[in-house]
Amino acid sequence: MTDEKKEQLFEQIPEEVAETLRGSIDSFDTGTVKGWAVANENDRYLNLHVICNEKIIGTGCANLYRQDLKDAGIHTGKHAFEITAIDSWPEFLYGEIELTIVEADTLQKIEAEPKKITIEDNDVYGQIIREEHGHIVTRLVSKKVLGQKTVELFHEDKIIHRLEFNTDQTEIQIRQPIPLTLQDGQRKLFKVGILGIPEIIATAYFSLQCIQTPWLYLKDSYNKPGFLGMSNQADSRYESLQYQLCALGEGDTSIKPANISTIHNVIVQGYEGRKSFPAFTLPECHEPEVSIIVPAFNKFELTYHCIASIALAYNKTKYEVILADDCSDDETTNAESIIGNLVVSRNSENLRFLRSCNQAAEKAKGEFIIFLNNDTEVNSFWIDELINKMKSDPEIGMTGSKLLNLDGSLQEAGGLVWKTGEPWNVGRDSHPLMPEYNYAREVDYLTGAAMCIQSDIWHGVGRFSEELAPCYYEDTDLAFKVREAGYKTVYVPHSVVTHFEGKSHGTDLNKGLKRYQVINEETFRKKWFKTYSNNGSPSLHNLRFDKDRNIDQRVLVIDYASPMPNKDAGSYAAIQEMKLIQSLGFKVTFIPANLAHFGKYTTELQKMGVEVLYAPFYQSVAHVLEERLGEMDAVYITRYHIAQEYIPYIREHSNAKIIFNNADLHFLREMRAALKGAKDPKALEKALITRSDELAVCEKVDAILCYNSTEHAVITSHILEAEKLHLTPWVLEEKAQGPSFESREGLAFLGGFNHTPNGDAVEYLAQEIMPLLFKSRPDIKLYVYGSNMPESMKSLETENIDMVGFAESLDSVYHNHRLFIAPLLSGAGIKGKVLEAMAYNLPTILSDVAAEGTGLTHGISSLIANAPQEWVDAIIKLYDDPVLWTKFSENSQTLVEAKYSFEHGKKVFKSIFESVGVYSSK
């Protein structure tokens, strides 16, 4: 909708063009506004906007039939509407709202009594946890007894099932059937709502197959059209095959197409009922970084499938596979002749699981040891993720994978042990992509089905404890020993393994090896009672808190979108700030206001240990605040337009402290732009409105963070609360040494073109500076880098200007060129592009605006220029002087070490949080 139409929205329509339009808003339930609307003069269908607090929350057509409308003589009865509002609801949080309707085409109001609704905090929370045999399974939790409720299940915006129940419980699971017409294997969005609650309470995507026959009975049809993709593991197998083919195409000679084809066929056929075992080969590796130990006793079909999946899954880490054969008498005895490059540890007597693993580990050559059950199938990068997390933090001694059930649901996202000594599989049977279970975090234990430990630590803590032989609790006990030795045990969700649970030892606790689960439970509890005795009581309510171990405080971070650090400096800063918050021992939960999962950018945050909340599991920031605000000690909000929308709710419903990072002072940037050159009255008026809004936010928060002292002074002069203001630290990561002065050429500018000051700077360079420079030094060329470069900018290319566009790597920007220049004419905040140049030891020439807050000084560590001729003189001077170039490079590096280190940033952030009463033990 255009701004012009928005301005017209509530204006009176001239009488000569207005028809008599009337109608009614009957209800607002489960994300849907229902009612009717007609034109008195004819029976045409009306297109409608639903308006709430002067915002459009839904659009649709009044063209549905209702018998009661026909009975009342309202044309033919085909003028009812059901308009979904969930895509925009709720933006306005809670309280009294008023709904009205207008004709969408003319914006004419419809004569209908405004519908006034009081939206109260919803005390019922929903979570779609899985699809099960053609049903959607939803968990409902309430702060009080649920009582009588009517639950509606939607596909997209159409009701497909309604369920009524009455219970005295506060938590239940309900199953609602899915029509056969929707069970077609295509990905579909399902929503759940409760009558009496305006917003949808849960959403999730599922792909449903009408044929759900177990694979055992379909395996003979695997190579027939329509069946190959039916397995729940089909997507991950396709990914693995694609990665292998890409590596082959890039010249990886270790990949043999015939071998990969055999392995892929083995996997898609499945292990059930397998009698033939075609030969295949594991990658040859003489110096493995990882040793994978697969314990087995008979059931070679499982072991064969497991090792084939290891070979199919793509990983960059070099590995060996050690089969721990515990006196099998089936095809396992011939495994090494079937599977090439397999290492075998074969026992002379039956040692059972624990001792067999201990013995096999003696053959391990790798720096890391992975224990993998033989009843598993692994995904690509499962090894890399376990190892990379360990390498990222020397305090991590043990990592574990996310385990999935055969139906694709979550089996385990790390484990915890309650104060009763009872172990708990976190996330059991939940949706595998639920945000709560998809970030790296410390846990009490990692299941032996897929866990990794440093070899030195494995030997240092005494391997699996002999008192737990023959099996069970050895993995939990090992994790406790690793932590006792001073290391962390961490769950790694992007290492994904499907575990065919119960295929190795069965599920009956009264017979076979499974009976030792009961015996060893008592042994474990006696041994570690003091360690787990304060771990909380078993309950799903406590789980949301207790699944996060070693957390001092909880901080909710809100920004407009997930940061993309290769696109803009603000994103880089956002990630560093979350790292600083984590370094204080705080858990970070991040919510992008647009609720979008941003692919690799979101998963990188999750790998850092940040819990990222996204759709469809949450419908809005308001939904997050409603469900999660109560657990937060502080809320860290970036950008004033985000803060102003949610501060009222936070203040009303929580004692959490609010820390506001203004990113840059928007009204200062807008005023500078408005006053540049010929004064722009409209732009100046807009800047004054922004000033009012921005300063109002500053007055309502507990702490204000600015990137430079200029903004600090401007805000202080307005709100007179200097104690609330802090300078935000900027962390610069250490860079690789770049080429010498002589090996570089040209000038570099970098800036995302979604940010207006960057575009203005490039135009200034192209129109004022570079033509002047060309007259005296045509050999000096400018290279312009930046994301989202408009096509119109390409017209600025000349003999001495190359409009490069997006840079995949900052190394190419800062290592290839001799000088970095930033002739910014407007803007605010600190300039990340300039700080990056400092981190790369690349000398700079800057405008006054670009130099703000950096600490760079004219003639000491940089050159400052403003007029075009000053720019030309400065460029030539620094471009041709290796001595001055080296001096600036060294002096800027000294500044980086003193002012922009991570440790300095941590001290500043600790002080900021302490100033609002949020304390850290680190």
Side-chain angles (χ1 to χ4, degrees), residues 538-579:
S539 82
L540 284 173
H541 179 267
N542 292 341
L543 180 64
R544 72 191 310 178
F545 302 101
D546 290 335
K547 68 181 171 62
D548 300 299
R549 293 306 195 201
N550 299 320
I551 295 299
D552 282 351
Q553 309 274 6
R554 297 168 188 268
V555 179
L556 179 67
V557 176
I558 309 175
D559 203 347
Y560 78 102
S562 291
M564 298 182 286
N566 61 339
K567 298 292 181 69
D568 60 83
S571 291
Y572 171 85
I575 288 176
Q576 295 300 329
E577 285 155 26
M578 283 189 259
K579 286 181 178 178

Short mmCIF file of all heavy atoms in Angstrom, two decimals, residues 538-579:
data_model
loop_
_atom_site.label_atom_id
_atom_site.label_comp_id
_atom_site.label_asym_id
_atom_site.label_seq_id
_atom_site.Cartn_x
_atom_site.Cartn_y
_atom_site.Cartn_z
N PRO A 538 12.57 -33.21 37.93
CA PRO A 538 12.11 -33.53 36.58
C PRO A 538 10.76 -32.89 36.27
O PRO A 538 9.80 -33.07 37.00
CB PRO A 538 11.97 -35.06 36.61
CG PRO A 538 12.79 -35.52 37.77
CD PRO A 538 12.73 -34.41 38.77
N SER A 539 10.69 -32.11 35.20
CA SER A 539 9.44 -31.55 34.70
C SER A 539 9.70 -30.82 33.40
O SER A 539 10.79 -30.29 33.19
CB SER A 539 8.78 -30.59 35.70
OG SER A 539 9.35 -29.31 35.63
N LEU A 540 8.70 -30.79 32.53
CA LEU A 540 8.84 -30.08 31.26
C LEU A 540 8.96 -28.58 31.50
O LEU A 540 9.63 -27.87 30.75
CB LEU A 540 7.64 -30.36 30.36
CG LEU A 540 7.63 -31.73 29.69
CD1 LEU A 540 6.31 -31.97 28.97
CD2 LEU A 540 8.79 -31.86 28.72
N HIS A 541 8.32 -28.08 32.55
CA HIS A 541 8.43 -26.65 32.87
C HIS A 541 9.86 -26.29 33.24
O HIS A 541 10.40 -25.27 32.80
CB HIS A 541 7.48 -26.28 34.00
CG HIS A 541 7.56 -24.82 34.38
ND1 HIS A 541 8.41 -24.35 35.39
CD2 HIS A 541 6.95 -23.73 33.87
CE1 HIS A 541 8.28 -23.04 35.48
NE2 HIS A 541 7.40 -22.65 34.57
N ASN A 542 10.50 -27.13 34.05
CA ASN A 542 11.88 -26.86 34.45
C ASN A 542 12.87 -27.07 33.31
O ASN A 542 13.96 -26.50 33.31
CB ASN A 542 12.28 -27.76 35.63
CG ASN A 542 11.53 -27.41 36.91
OD1 ASN A 542 10.98 -26.32 37.03
ND2 ASN A 542 11.49 -28.35 37.85
N LEU A 543 12.47 -27.90 32.33
CA LEU A 543 13.38 -28.24 31.25
C LEU A 543 13.86 -27.02 30.48
O LEU A 543 15.03 -26.93 30.10
CB LEU A 543 12.70 -29.22 30.29
CG LEU A 543 13.53 -29.69 29.09
CD1 LEU A 543 14.75 -30.47 29.55
CD2 LEU A 543 12.67 -30.52 28.15
N ARG A 544 12.97 -26.05 30.24
CA ARG A 544 13.34 -24.88 29.44
C ARG A 544 14.46 -24.09 30.10
O ARG A 544 15.23 -23.39 29.42
CB ARG A 544 12.13 -23.98 29.20
CG ARG A 544 11.63 -23.22 30.39
CD ARG A 544 10.29 -22.57 30.16
NE ARG A 544 10.24 -21.79 28.92
CZ ARG A 544 9.15 -21.16 28.49
NH1 ARG A 544 8.02 -21.24 29.18
NH2 ARG A 544 9.17 -20.46 27.39
N PHE A 545 14.60 -24.20 31.44
CA PHE A 545 15.68 -23.51 32.14
C PHE A 545 16.88 -24.44 32.34
O PHE A 545 18.03 -24.07 32.11
CB PHE A 545 15.19 -23.01 33.50
CG PHE A 545 14.01 -22.08 33.41
CD1 PHE A 545 12.73 -22.54 33.66
CD2 PHE A 545 14.18 -20.75 33.06
CE1 PHE A 545 11.64 -21.70 33.57
CE2 PHE A 545 13.10 -19.89 32.97
CZ PHE A 545 11.82 -20.37 33.22
N ASP A 546 16.61 -25.65 32.77
CA ASP A 546 17.69 -26.55 33.19
C ASP A 546 18.47 -27.17 32.03
O ASP A 546 19.55 -27.71 32.24
CB ASP A 546 17.12 -27.66 34.08
CG ASP A 546 16.68 -27.14 35.44
OD1 ASP A 546 17.21 -26.10 35.87
OD2 ASP A 546 15.80 -27.75 36.05
N LYS A 547 17.92 -27.11 30.82
CA LYS A 547 18.69 -27.65 29.69
C LYS A 547 19.92 -26.80 29.39
O LYS A 547 20.83 -27.25 28.70
CB LYS A 547 17.81 -27.77 28.44
CG LYS A 547 17.36 -26.46 27.83
CD LYS A 547 16.49 -26.72 26.61
CE LYS A 547 15.84 -25.46 26.09
NZ LYS A 547 16.80 -24.45 25.63
N ASP A 548 19.96 -25.57 29.87
CA ASP A 548 21.12 -24.70 29.70
C ASP A 548 21.98 -24.75 30.96
O ASP A 548 21.57 -24.26 32.01
CB ASP A 548 20.69 -23.25 29.45
CG ASP A 548 19.83 -23.13 28.21
OD1 ASP A 548 20.34 -23.44 27.13
OD2 ASP A 548 18.67 -22.71 28.32
N ARG A 549 23.14 -25.35 30.88
CA ARG A 549 24.01 -25.49 32.03
C ARG A 549 25.05 -24.37 32.08
O ARG A 549 25.47 -23.84 31.05
CB ARG A 549 24.73 -26.84 32.00
CG ARG A 549 23.79 -28.03 32.20
CD ARG A 549 22.96 -27.91 33.45
NE ARG A 549 22.34 -29.17 33.84
CZ ARG A 549 21.28 -29.25 34.62
NH1 ARG A 549 20.71 -28.15 35.09
NH2 ARG A 549 20.78 -30.43 34.96
N ASN A 550 25.46 -24.02 33.29
CA ASN A 550 26.51 -23.02 33.54
C ASN A 550 26.16 -21.66 32.95
O ASN A 550 26.97 -21.02 32.28
CB ASN A 550 27.85 -23.51 32.99
CG ASN A 550 28.31 -24.80 33.65
OD1 ASN A 550 28.15 -24.98 34.86
ND2 ASN A 550 28.84 -25.73 32.86
N ILE A 551 24.94 -21.22 33.24
CA ILE A 551 24.46 -19.92 32.77
C ILE A 551 24.29 -19.00 33.98
O ILE A 551 23.61 -19.34 34.94
CB ILE A 551 23.11 -20.07 32.04
CG1 ILE A 551 23.29 -20.88 30.76
CG2 ILE A 551 22.51 -18.71 31.72
CD1 ILE A 551 24.22 -20.28 29.74
N ASP A 552 24.92 -17.80 33.93
CA ASP A 552 24.76 -16.83 35.01
C ASP A 552 23.46 -16.03 34.86
O ASP A 552 22.70 -15.87 35.81
CB ASP A 552 25.93 -15.85 35.03
CG ASP A 552 27.18 -16.45 35.66
OD1 ASP A 552 27.07 -17.55 36.23
OD2 ASP A 552 28.26 -15.83 35.58
N GLN A 553 23.25 -15.49 33.67
CA GLN A 553 22.08 -14.65 33.40
C GLN A 553 21.57 -14.97 32.00
O GLN A 553 22.27 -15.59 31.20
CB GLN A 553 22.45 -13.15 33.48
CG GLN A 553 23.19 -12.73 34.73
CD GLN A 553 22.27 -12.38 35.88
OE1 GLN A 553 21.05 -12.55 35.79
NE2 GLN A 553 22.83 -11.89 36.97
N ARG A 554 20.35 -14.51 31.71
CA ARG A 554 19.75 -14.74 30.39
C ARG A 554 19.41 -13.40 29.76
O ARG A 554 18.75 -12.56 30.38
CB ARG A 554 18.49 -15.60 30.53
CG ARG A 554 18.79 -16.99 31.07
CD ARG A 554 17.52 -17.74 31.47
NE ARG A 554 17.88 -18.96 32.15
CZ ARG A 554 18.04 -20.14 31.58
NH1 ARG A 554 17.84 -20.25 30.26
NH2 ARG A 554 18.38 -21.21 32.27
N VAL A 555 19.87 -13.22 28.52
CA VAL A 555 19.70 -11.94 27.83
C VAL A 555 18.98 -12.18 26.50
O VAL A 555 19.42 -13.01 25.70
CB VAL A 555 21.05 -11.25 27.58
CG1 VAL A 555 20.85 -9.94 26.83
CG2 VAL A 555 21.79 -11.02 28.89
N LEU A 556 17.89 -11.45 26.29
CA LEU A 556 17.18 -11.48 25.02
C LEU A 556 17.69 -10.34 24.16
O LEU A 556 17.69 -9.19 24.56
CB LEU A 556 15.67 -11.32 25.24
CG LEU A 556 14.79 -11.31 23.99
CD1 LEU A 556 14.82 -12.67 23.31
CD2 LEU A 556 13.35 -10.93 24.34
N VAL A 557 18.17 -10.67 22.96
CA VAL A 557 18.67 -9.67 22.01
C VAL A 557 17.67 -9.53 20.88
O VAL A 557 17.26 -10.53 20.28
CB VAL A 557 20.05 -10.08 21.45
CG1 VAL A 557 20.53 -9.09 20.40
CG2 VAL A 557 21.08 -10.18 22.59
N ILE A 558 17.27 -8.30 20.57
CA ILE A 558 16.30 -8.03 19.51
C ILE A 558 16.92 -7.09 18.49
O ILE A 558 17.45 -6.03 18.85
CB ILE A 558 15.00 -7.41 20.07
CG1 ILE A 558 14.44 -8.22 21.25
CG2 ILE A 558 13.95 -7.28 18.97
CD1 ILE A 558 13.23 -7.59 21.91
N ASP A 559 16.83 -7.45 17.22
CA ASP A 559 17.26 -6.59 16.12
C ASP A 559 16.29 -6.79 14.97
O ASP A 559 15.43 -7.67 15.02
CB ASP A 559 18.69 -6.91 15.72
CG ASP A 559 19.39 -5.73 15.02
OD1 ASP A 559 18.69 -4.77 14.63
OD2 ASP A 559 20.62 -5.78 14.86
N TYR A 560 16.43 -5.99 13.92
CA TYR A 560 15.45 -6.04 12.83
C TYR A 560 15.57 -7.31 11.99
O TYR A 560 14.61 -7.76 11.37
CB TYR A 560 15.55 -4.80 11.95
CG TYR A 560 16.71 -4.81 10.98
CD1 TYR A 560 16.51 -5.09 9.63
CD2 TYR A 560 18.01 -4.54 11.41
CE1 TYR A 560 17.57 -5.11 8.74
CE2 TYR A 560 19.07 -4.55 10.52
CZ TYR A 560 18.84 -4.84 9.18
OH TYR A 560 19.89 -4.86 8.30
N ALA A 561 16.78 -7.90 11.92
CA ALA A 561 16.99 -9.12 11.13
C ALA A 561 18.24 -9.82 11.63
O ALA A 561 19.02 -9.25 12.40
CB ALA A 561 17.14 -8.78 9.64
N SER A 562 18.44 -11.05 11.19
CA SER A 562 19.66 -11.77 11.56
C SER A 562 20.86 -11.10 10.91
O SER A 562 20.81 -10.73 9.73
CB SER A 562 19.58 -13.23 11.10
OG SER A 562 18.61 -13.93 11.85
N PRO A 563 21.95 -10.93 11.65
CA PRO A 563 23.13 -10.26 11.09
C PRO A 563 23.79 -11.07 9.98
O PRO A 563 23.89 -12.29 10.06
CB PRO A 563 24.05 -10.12 12.30
CG PRO A 563 23.59 -11.13 13.28
CD PRO A 563 22.13 -11.30 13.05
N MET A 564 24.23 -10.34 8.94
CA MET A 564 24.95 -10.95 7.81
C MET A 564 26.31 -10.26 7.73
O MET A 564 26.46 -9.24 7.05
CB MET A 564 24.15 -10.77 6.52
CG MET A 564 22.79 -11.44 6.55
SD MET A 564 21.87 -11.28 5.00
CE MET A 564 21.38 -9.56 5.10
N PRO A 565 27.31 -10.76 8.44
CA PRO A 565 28.57 -10.03 8.63
C PRO A 565 29.35 -9.75 7.36
O PRO A 565 30.19 -8.85 7.34
CB PRO A 565 29.35 -10.93 9.58
CG PRO A 565 28.74 -12.29 9.44
CD PRO A 565 27.30 -12.04 9.15
N ASN A 566 29.10 -10.51 6.30
CA ASN A 566 29.80 -10.22 5.04
C ASN A 566 29.07 -9.18 4.21
O ASN A 566 29.51 -8.85 3.10
CB ASN A 566 30.00 -11.50 4.23
CG ASN A 566 28.68 -12.15 3.84
OD1 ASN A 566 27.65 -11.91 4.47
ND2 ASN A 566 28.70 -12.98 2.82
N LYS A 567 27.95 -8.65 4.72
CA LYS A 567 27.18 -7.66 3.98
C LYS A 567 27.31 -6.25 4.54
O LYS A 567 27.25 -5.27 3.80
CB LYS A 567 25.70 -8.05 3.97
CG LYS A 567 25.39 -9.39 3.29
CD LYS A 567 25.61 -9.30 1.80
CE LYS A 567 25.26 -10.62 1.11
NZ LYS A 567 23.84 -10.93 1.09
N ASP A 568 27.46 -6.11 5.88
CA ASP A 568 27.53 -4.77 6.45
C ASP A 568 28.22 -4.80 7.80
O ASP A 568 28.26 -5.83 8.48
CB ASP A 568 26.14 -4.14 6.58
CG ASP A 568 25.22 -4.97 7.47
OD1 ASP A 568 25.29 -4.81 8.70
OD2 ASP A 568 24.43 -5.77 6.94
N ALA A 569 28.79 -3.65 8.17
CA ALA A 569 29.56 -3.55 9.42
C ALA A 569 28.67 -3.70 10.65
O ALA A 569 29.10 -4.21 11.68
CB ALA A 569 30.30 -2.21 9.46
N GLY A 570 27.41 -3.23 10.53
CA GLY A 570 26.50 -3.36 11.66
C GLY A 570 26.26 -4.80 12.05
O GLY A 570 26.13 -5.14 13.23
N SER A 571 26.21 -5.69 11.05
CA SER A 571 26.04 -7.11 11.33
C SER A 571 27.26 -7.68 12.03
O SER A 571 27.14 -8.49 12.97
CB SER A 571 25.80 -7.87 10.02
OG SER A 571 24.56 -7.55 9.46
N TYR A 572 28.44 -7.27 11.59
CA TYR A 572 29.66 -7.71 12.25
C TYR A 572 29.64 -7.29 13.72
O TYR A 572 29.95 -8.09 14.61
CB TYR A 572 30.88 -7.11 11.54
CG TYR A 572 32.19 -7.33 12.28
CD1 TYR A 572 32.91 -8.50 12.11
CD2 TYR A 572 32.68 -6.36 13.15
CE1 TYR A 572 34.10 -8.70 12.79
CE2 TYR A 572 33.87 -6.55 13.84
CZ TYR A 572 34.58 -7.72 13.65
OH TYR A 572 35.75 -7.93 14.34
N ALA A 573 29.24 -6.05 13.96
CA ALA A 573 29.19 -5.54 15.33
C ALA A 573 28.19 -6.32 16.17
O ALA A 573 28.46 -6.66 17.33
CB ALA A 573 28.83 -4.06 15.32
N ALA A 574 27.03 -6.64 15.58
CA ALA A 574 26.00 -7.37 16.32
C ALA A 574 26.51 -8.73 16.78
O ALA A 574 26.26 -9.15 17.92
CB ALA A 574 24.75 -7.54 15.44
N ILE A 575 27.24 -9.42 15.91
CA ILE A 575 27.78 -10.73 16.27
C ILE A 575 28.82 -10.60 17.37
O ILE A 575 28.83 -11.38 18.34
CB ILE A 575 28.36 -11.42 15.02
CG1 ILE A 575 27.22 -11.87 14.11
CG2 ILE A 575 29.22 -12.62 15.41
CD1 ILE A 575 27.66 -12.47 12.81
N GLN A 576 29.71 -9.63 17.26
CA GLN A 576 30.72 -9.44 18.29
C GLN A 576 30.09 -9.10 19.63
O GLN A 576 30.55 -9.55 20.69
CB GLN A 576 31.71 -8.34 17.87
CG GLN A 576 32.55 -8.69 16.65
CD GLN A 576 33.40 -9.93 16.85
OE1 GLN A 576 33.84 -10.23 17.95
NE2 GLN A 576 33.64 -10.67 15.77
N GLU A 577 29.02 -8.31 19.61
CA GLU A 577 28.35 -7.95 20.86
C GLU A 577 27.69 -9.16 21.50
O GLU A 577 27.70 -9.32 22.73
CB GLU A 577 27.35 -6.82 20.60
CG GLU A 577 28.05 -5.48 20.40
CD GLU A 577 27.27 -4.48 19.58
OE1 GLU A 577 26.02 -4.58 19.55
OE2 GLU A 577 27.90 -3.60 18.95
N MET A 578 27.12 -10.05 20.69
CA MET A 578 26.56 -11.28 21.25
C MET A 578 27.66 -12.16 21.83
O MET A 578 27.47 -12.80 22.87
CB MET A 578 25.74 -12.02 20.19
CG MET A 578 24.38 -11.40 19.94
SD MET A 578 23.29 -12.40 18.89
CE MET A 578 23.48 -11.55 17.33
N LYS A 579 28.82 -12.18 21.18
CA LYS A 579 29.95 -12.94 21.72
C LYS A 579 30.40 -12.35 23.05
O LYS A 579 30.75 -13.08 24.00
CB LYS A 579 31.11 -12.94 20.73
CG LYS A 579 30.91 -13.83 19.52
CD LYS A 579 32.13 -13.78 18.60
CE LYS A 579 31.98 -14.69 17.40
NZ LYS A 579 33.16 -14.60 16.49
#
